[in-house]
């Protein structure tokens, strides 16, 4: 690493106290402002005003003070100089490697074993990576380096210095070391408790299953770990939290924009205690580990927004796996355009849901957004003049304007009996969570024939396949014709980050024609590619939008159904009636710069 040669600059009198030794010096406001002026980042007048202001106020770090001014850079693309942007810029000016600290990529247990909290706070440093040969340490004080030879000698490893955002260093020093300590203390407590209980008593506590004892779910260290897990999941826009057992440890993963990311590994005893803590909060049976359970937890985000978690457990070979699905309270406030509907898809969908009776099917694999679409639709339809009833397994989101019923097979309440019950509740609109078998399909048909609008889901790859699926279940074609209003297939595609996407050039004519067939759509002048920045966690994508294939049951389609036409014939007729395939919907989003070709090809099946 190249050394930085700059004349010594005295620290301002109002700078926070730092350890000073031979050769160490604090990063000063004057030094940073000189670099800002030399690089032409902002006007000299603004710099002089800040010099005057700094004489009358205290500040924690010079970069924090500069970021508070919200200066706009003179250099293209002339963005606001945020603290992260200033940190990256200064690292380049000082010839020090820059690092954005991503907690998802930091093994905090390993980091916590490198140094003590007091040592990290003393020098304002944070270990972020540990290997057998080296330790990478982040700092916001690049000229304080007396600790490097000391730490290198103690650990017998090479120390690599990187520059990081000063607020991140401060925050994660507190979080990582506290979290590492909680994991260590919880593990130690489990070992201590285990050593004080005889093997016979352990066997009794576990109901004869053997193994170690179950750690206390109310232990303050476990409470801290679970609370941090939720807080960080909310910050990272995670939709699901997975806590998974392995042979010798546990793994925590977040699903962000449809992709799973490993967060950290935890000791096996701590994993067991975390699962017990979550089950306790979800009002599950903690001692029952042999059968799956479902529950709910209500909590709040750091911003004070109430969030509901749907919790599900599953017994595995190495212990209980638990998944917490995070429901965004804003989902029910989104309109159809926010979900990704094009003008044509929206007009066809609104025409379908405006029907007074019939069956409307939404199809797609698990995680394709079917529930979000149905809830948003029901929210639109649930006026004070109508009675909206649902039967679900499980209830995804609790909405006061619906009458929602939970399927409970253990007491004989399944979808079939649930729909039969709803029919006696004077409903106008019924939502059935899923059609899985013929009895449920028959009840949905009976509800539609008796004047109710029924919305439900079916697991098929595209819209036309839903018709043949109903017939395969045993629903007669004439009843399909009489009741089905239309079918919509959907997928979720990741959307490009607006801050970092870049042009990728035009697509080839053949590639574009293959993507949009059987339609002829105008090829865009250019497409865009994912790049990656801090806003999108270097993935190039931020958020998701829907791809839709809306098939309205026309008289021509009904003739084909009653005559027993093949699925290919149904699909061809649907195309002639105006249905656009999923990939054509994706092509529209590619043309508008919303997503990439790779994303559409990944989630949407070819025609």
């Amino acid at each position: 690493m190249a050394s930085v040669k700059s004349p010594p600059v005295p620290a301002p009198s109002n700078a926070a106290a730092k350890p000073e030794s031979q050769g160490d010096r604090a990063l000063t406001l004057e030094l940073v402002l000189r670099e800002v002026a030399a690089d032409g980042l902002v006007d000299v007048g603004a710099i002089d005003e800040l010099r005057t202001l700094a004489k009358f106020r205290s500040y924690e770090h010079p970069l924090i003070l500069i970021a508070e001014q919200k200066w706009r850079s003179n250099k293209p693309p002339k963005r606001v100089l945020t603290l992260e942007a200033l940190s990256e810029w200064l690292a380049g000016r000082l010839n020090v490697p820059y690092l954005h600290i991503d907690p998802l990529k930091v093994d905090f247990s390993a980091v916590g074993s490198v140094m003590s909290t007091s040592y990290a706070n003393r020098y304002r440093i944070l270990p972020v990576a540990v290997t057998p040969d080296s330790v990478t340490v982040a700092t916001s004080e690049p000229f304080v380096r007396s600790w490097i030879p000391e730490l290198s000698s103690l650990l017998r490893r090479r120390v690599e210095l990187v520059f990081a955002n000063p607020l991140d260093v401060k925050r994660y020093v507190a979080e990582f070391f506290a979290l590492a300590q909680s994991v260590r203390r919880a593990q130690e407590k489990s070992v201590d408790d285990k050593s004080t209980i005889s093997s016979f008593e352990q066997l009794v506590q576990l109901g004869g299953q053997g193994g170690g004892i179950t750690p206390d779910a109310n232990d303050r260290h476990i409470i801290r770990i679970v609370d941090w897990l939720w807080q960080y999941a909310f910050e990272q826009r995670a939709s699901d939290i997975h806590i998974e057992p392995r042979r010798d440890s546990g793994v925590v993963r977040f699903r962000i924009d449809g992709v799973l990311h490993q967060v950290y590994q935890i000791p096996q005893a701590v994993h067991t205690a975390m699962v017990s803590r979550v089950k306790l909060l979800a009002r599950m049976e903690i001692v029952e580990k042999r059968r799956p359970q479902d529950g709910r937890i209500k909590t709040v985000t750091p911003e004070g927004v109430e969030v509901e978690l749907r919790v599900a457990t599953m017994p595995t070979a190495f212990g209980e796996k638990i998944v917490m699905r995070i429901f965004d309270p804003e989902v029910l406030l989104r309109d159809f355009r926010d979900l990704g509907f094009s003008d044509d898809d929206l007009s066809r969908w609104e025409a379908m849901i405006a029907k007074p009776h019939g069956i409307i099917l939404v199809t797609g694999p698990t995680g394709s957004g079917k529930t979000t679409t149905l809830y948003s639709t029901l929210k639109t339809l649930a006026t004070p003049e109508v009675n909206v009833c649902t039967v679900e397994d499980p209830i995804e989101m609790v909405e006061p304007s619906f009458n929602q019923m939970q399927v409970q097979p253990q007491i004989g309440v399944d979808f079939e009996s649930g729909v039969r019950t709803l029919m006696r509740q004077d409903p106008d609109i019924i939502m059935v969570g899923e059609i899985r078998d013929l009895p449920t399909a028959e009840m949905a048909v009976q509800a539609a024939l008796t004047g109710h609008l029924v919305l439900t889901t079916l697991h098929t790859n595209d819209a036309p396949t839903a018709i043949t699926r109903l017939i395969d279940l045993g629903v007669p074609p004439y009843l399909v014709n009489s009741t089905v209003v239309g079918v919509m297939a959907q997928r979720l595609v990741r959307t490009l980050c607006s801050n970092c996407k870049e042009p990728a050039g035009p697509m080839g004519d053949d590639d574009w024609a293959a993507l949009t067939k059987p339609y002829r759509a105008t090829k865009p002048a250019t497409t865009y590619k994912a790049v990656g920045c801090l806003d999108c966690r270097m993935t190039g994508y931020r958020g998701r939008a829907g791809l839709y294939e809306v098939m309205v049951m026309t008289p021509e389609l009904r003739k084909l159904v009653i005559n027993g036409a093949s699925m290919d014939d149904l699909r061809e007729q649907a195309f002639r009636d105006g249905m656009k395939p999923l990939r054509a919907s994706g092509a529209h989003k590619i043309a508008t710069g919303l997503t990439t070709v790779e994303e559409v090809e990944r989630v949407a099946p070819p025609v």
Side-chain angles (χ1 to χ4, degrees):
M1 185 182 299
S3 61
V4 181
K5 297 182 179 179
S6 302
V9 179
S13 58
N14 56 356
K18 298 181 180 66
E20 297 290 345
S21 64
Q22 189 70 26
D24 280 355
R25 56 194 175 91
L27 184 67
T28 65
L29 179 64
E30 184 57 37
L31 185 150
V32 178
L33 291 179
R34 284 209 308 263
E35 293 293 336
V36 170
D39 198 32
L41 207 59
V42 297
D43 297 333
V44 176
I47 295 173
D48 291 338
E49 288 181 10
L50 183 56
R51 281 195 179 101
T52 303
L53 173 67
K55 296 177 182 178
F56 304 102
R57 59 166 297 181
S58 61
Y59 51 90
E60 187 174 351
H61 191 279
L63 287 182
I64 296 176
L65 180 63
I66 295 174
E68 289 175 356
Q69 311 310 307
K70 297 183 179 179
W71 288 338
R72 190 172 291 276
S73 173
N74 286 334
K75 296 184 174 182
K78 297 188 176 182
R79 290 177 177 166
V80 174
L81 294 174
T82 62
L83 183 57
E84 199 67 48
L86 285 166
S87 300
E88 184 174 7
W89 164 82
L90 185 61
R93 293 289 295 181
L94 299 180
N95 200 22
V96 179
Y98 164 77
L99 175 73
H100 170 69
I101 302 173
D102 184 353
L104 291 181
K105 299 177 181 177
V106 176
D107 182 353
F108 62 83
S109 296
V111 160
S113 65
V114 169
M115 63 181 69
S116 66
T117 311
S118 58
Y119 192 88
N121 281 321
R122 179 185 175 196
Y123 290 105
R124 292 190 178 184
I125 57 177
L126 174 68
V128 291
V130 181
T131 69
D133 302 320
S134 66
V135 176
T136 303
V137 181
T139 181
S140 56
E141 291 291 348
F143 303 135
V144 177
R145 302 192 178 194
S146 60
W147 54 268
I148 294 180
E150 179 183 40
L151 189 64
S152 179
S153 174
L154 183 66
L155 299 176
R156 295 182 180 179
R157 293 173 183 168
R158 184 177 70 259
V159 175
E160 298 179 354
L161 187 72
V162 294
F163 189 78
N165 179 327
L167 287 182
D168 280 356
V169 172
K170 179 182 178 181
R171 172 190 173 181
Y172 292 125
V173 162
E175 287 191 9
F176 287 169
F177 282 96
L179 207 55
Q181 184 183 48
S182 293
V183 170
R184 187 167 57 251
R185 294 285 174 82
Q187 189 177 19
E188 291 171 355
K189 187 176 187 300
S190 175
V191 172
D192 291 343
D193 289 346
K194 182 179 175 181
S195 65
T196 61
I197 300 178
S198 68
S199 299
F200 175 76
E201 287 174 316
Q202 290 182 39
L203 199 63
V204 171
Q205 286 190 19
L206 289 175
Q209 297 178 48
I213 66 169
T214 302
D216 184 7
N218 287 318
D219 182 83
R220 61 188 177 89
H221 302 298
I222 298 301
I223 292 173
R224 176 184 292 174
I225 295 169
V226 173
D227 286 349
W228 181 87
L229 181 70
W230 287 344
Q231 174 188 334
Y232 192 60
F234 299 149
E235 290 179 358
Q236 296 298 313
R237 301 179 294 106
S239 60
D240 300 86
I241 304 171
H242 293 242
I243 305 178
E244 305 173 345
R246 298 290 187 264
R247 184 179 296 276
D248 300 314
S249 63
V251 173
V252 176
R253 298 195 289 173
F254 290 165
R255 187 176 295 279
I256 303 172
D257 292 336
V259 179
L260 279 171
H261 301 264
Q262 182 166 318
V263 182
Y264 54 78
Q265 287 187 318
I266 48 180
Q268 191 175 46
V270 177
H271 165 269
T272 305
M274 289 176 65
V275 170
S276 296
R277 174 67 184 169
V278 173
K279 289 172 67 177
L280 177 68
L281 295 173
R283 299 182 180 180
M284 298 178 181
E285 295 181 35
I286 298 179
V287 296
E288 178 56 74
K289 304 176 185 295
R290 297 168 298 174
R291 64 177 175 85
Q293 296 186 67
D294 293 307
R296 291 180 179 276
I297 299 174
K298 279 193 175 182
T299 184
V300 293
T301 67
E303 293 77 29
V305 179
E306 188 176 89
V307 173
E308 187 167 288
L309 310 177
R310 194 188 79 194
V311 185
T313 67
M314 180 182 76
T316 72
F318 301 119
E320 279 189 292
K321 178 183 186 295
I322 196 162
V323 174
M324 291 172 276
R325 171 155 291 185
I326 303 171
F327 288 112
D328 182 0
E330 300 295 320
V331 164
L332 294 174
L333 301 178
R334 296 175 186 165
D335 61 26
F336 292 120
R337 295 190 186 279
D338 292 335
L339 297 178
F341 278 81
S342 66
D343 291 340
D344 182 58
D345 291 338
L346 181 56
S347 64
R348 293 164 71 86
W349 180 247
E350 288 180 336
M352 285 165 54
I353 64 176
K355 300 289 184 181
H357 55 80
I359 298 175
I360 298 173
L361 295 162
V362 180
T363 75
T366 301
S368 59
K370 302 187 298 296
T371 301
T372 299
T373 299
L374 286 178
Y375 271 79
S376 298
T377 302
L378 289 176
K379 185 72 173 176
T380 302
L381 298 174
T383 61
E385 293 78 21
V386 298
N387 178 19
V388 177
C389 298
T390 75
V391 53
E392 306 172 62
D393 183 23
I395 295 174
E396 300 278 1
M397 290 171 274
V398 177
E399 167 53 42
S401 60
F402 310 157
N403 299 292
Q404 298 169 281
M405 182 170 66
Q406 168 81 47
V407 167
Q408 300 183 63
Q410 66 273 18
I411 59 173
V413 181
D414 53 17
F415 278 117
E416 178 191 2
S417 60
V419 176
R420 185 179 293 110
T421 299
L422 296 187
M423 293 283 287
R424 303 189 189 107
Q425 295 294 314
D426 186 30
D428 296 291
I429 301 170
I430 296 173
M431 194 269 273
V432 181
E434 181 184 349
I435 291 180
R436 299 173 180 171
D437 49 33
L438 178 58
T440 305
E442 288 176 337
M443 287 306 304
V445 167
Q446 290 301 316
L449 289 173
T450 52
H452 303 92
L453 182 64
V454 180
L455 286 82
T456 186
T457 68
L458 201 61
H459 285 287
T460 61
N461 285 331
D462 58 12
T465 311
I467 302 300
T468 57
R469 172 67 174 152
L470 283 178
I471 295 173
D472 289 342
L473 283 175
V475 179
Y478 75 91
L479 286 180
V480 172
N481 268 352
S482 302
T483 57
V484 176
V485 173
V487 186
M488 181 172 72
Q490 70 175 82
R491 297 291 191 278
L492 287 178
V493 64
R494 290 187 295 173
T495 54
L496 283 165
C497 174
S498 58
N499 288 326
C500 64
K501 67 178 183 181
E502 291 182 355
M507 286 183 66
D509 292 339
D510 293 340
D511 293 337
W512 180 254
L515 190 68
T516 58
K517 70 177 185 181
Y519 286 88
R520 291 183 180 179
T522 304
K523 189 180 74 171
T526 187
T527 58
Y528 289 83
K529 62 181 180 181
V531 177
C533 66
L534 297 180
D535 284 343
C536 60
R537 296 190 61 259
M538 305 306 295
T539 63
Y541 298 95
R542 185 178 175 88
R544 290 188 290 177
L547 304 183
Y548 301 98
E549 179 180 270
V550 187
M551 183 183 79
V552 179
M553 288 295 288
T554 60
E556 291 76 13
L557 272 173
R558 297 186 192 279
K559 290 178 184 177
L560 291 177
V561 171
I562 204 68
N563 292 328
S566 68
M567 187 175 63
D568 289 337
D569 291 337
L570 292 175
R571 183 179 291 111
E572 290 298 323
Q573 182 59 51
F575 288 151
R576 287 193 291 269
D577 291 339
M579 182 188 81
K580 294 181 180 178
L582 288 166
R583 286 202 170 187
S585 176
H588 173 73
K589 289 177 171 56
I590 293 169
T592 56
L594 196 64
T595 189
T596 62
V597 177
E598 294 77 15
E599 267 297 293
V600 173
E601 291 178 343
R602 180 179 69 87
V603 303
V607 176

